[in-house]
Amino acid sequence: MQISTSLKTKSPLKAKRWLAGTAGAALFAGTAAYVAWAARQAETAHPPKGRFIDVNKVRVHYLEKGEGPVILLLHGKGSMATDFQGSGLIDGLATHHRVIAIDRPGFGYSERPRGKKWDATEQAQLIAATLGQLGIPSAIVVGHSWGAMCAIALALEAPHLVERLVLMSGYYYPSTRPDALIMGAAAVPVIGDVMRYTTSAMTARVMLGYLHKRTFSPQPIYPGFSKAVPRDLLLRPSQMFAEAQESLMMVKEAERLSDSYADLKMPITILAGSEDGALKTEEQSVKLHQALPHSKLKVVEKAGHMLHYSAPQVVLAAIEEAAHAAKKGPAVKAPVVNPQAATPFTQS
C-alpha cells in the first residue's frame, strides 16, 4: 500500500513537469519559427539595393554609384551600407566620385561564414580582395564607428590601397564597456544561437528604438536612417549575430590595433561629435589625433555619434578635401546634402 500511495503522489507531479516542458518547447519552437518567418518577410519587403560579388567564397553585397576617383565607405556596427544612402552621403559624393559602399560581413546582404572570427583584420582582407576583383587600385577610405576600425586595419594590411583615411566617430582605444558584453551574449556558441531565435529576438524589438535614440543623441533619429536601414532587417538573426560578435570583440580589437597606429603613414582626417553618446570623444578621437601628428581633427559641437546625419556638410567637405589633396586636382565644392530628403538608392 505504501508503494502504491508513493506512485500516486509522484505521477501528477511528473505529468505537470512533462506538460510544462512540452509547453515550453512548443513556445520556443513557435517563437523560432516566427523569427525565421519575419526574417524572410523582411528580405522580401526590403530586397538588396546593390550588386553581389563572390570574394574568397564569401558573397559580398555592395552599392556603387558615380564615376571618378574612388571613395570606399565602411559602415558601423548594427547598420549596413544603405546607411550612407539615408544620410545623402552617397548621392553627394557620387557627383564627382565613384562611390563604393560595402555591406561588411554579416550585415545587410553580405555573408559572414562561420569558422572565422571576422575581426577587423579578417574583414580588411576581404575588403582588399573585393577591391581587387572590382579593379580598384586605391581609394579614399571612410569608416564610421566599427567601420573605422576596419578602415584602419585595411590601411595596416594593404597600405597601397588606402590613399587617405577619413575616420568618423571611431572606437580606437580599449575602455570599460559593460554594454558590449550584454549585447555580445547573442554570439555565445549554442546559447547565443537559441537566444537569437527566441529571447534576444523579442527583446531587441523593444530595445532597438532606445539604442537608436542613444546613437543619434542629442539630435532626433533622422527619417532618412529609418527608411534606408529598415528595422526588420536589423532584427534578422544573421544580422544580430554579426552585431553581437563585434560587440564582444570590440574592446580587444581596439587594444590590438592601437599597438600599430604609429605605422599609419597616410594622411588621416578624424571626425567626431562633441556629444557622442556611444563613446567618449576625448578618450577616443582626440587621443588618436594626439598619437598621430600628421592627422587632422574636427570635433563638431553639439553633434552625436551619427555625424553623417547631424553634420553631413562637414563630413562631405572633409572627404572632398581628402580626395582633392590626394589627386592634387582642382578643388571641388561639396554639394548640399539633406538627410531629411534622402532619395531611395538607385545604381548609376
Side-chain angles (χ1 to χ4, degrees), residues 280-346:
K280 295 181 179 179
T281 295
E282 192 72 26
E283 296 178 3
Q284 298 296 331
S285 295
V286 174
K287 185 176 179 180
L288 180 65
H289 172 58
Q290 292 170 343
L292 299 172
H294 60 288
S295 67
K296 291 183 178 181
L297 172 67
K298 174 66 176 179
V299 178
V300 183
E301 294 300 321
K302 298 181 180 179
H305 192 68
M306 302 295 278
L307 273 182
H308 46 311
Y309 286 88
S310 59
Q313 294 305 132
V314 174
V315 174
L316 195 58
I319 298 172
E320 289 286 8
E321 181 184 4
H324 165 61
K327 296 301 181 183
K328 297 181 181 179
V332 172
K333 183 179 180 180
V336 176
V337 175
N338 178 13
Q340 301 282 14
T343 55
F345 183 84
T346 53

Side-chain angles (χ1 to χ4, degrees), residues 86 102 105 136 139 179 274:
I102 293 177
I136 298 172
D179 59 320
S274 65

Side-chain angles (χ1 to χ4, degrees), residues 37-50:
W37 174 84
R40 292 193 298 271
Q41 290 296 107
E43 293 178 351
T44 300
H46 308 285
K49 304 289 187 181

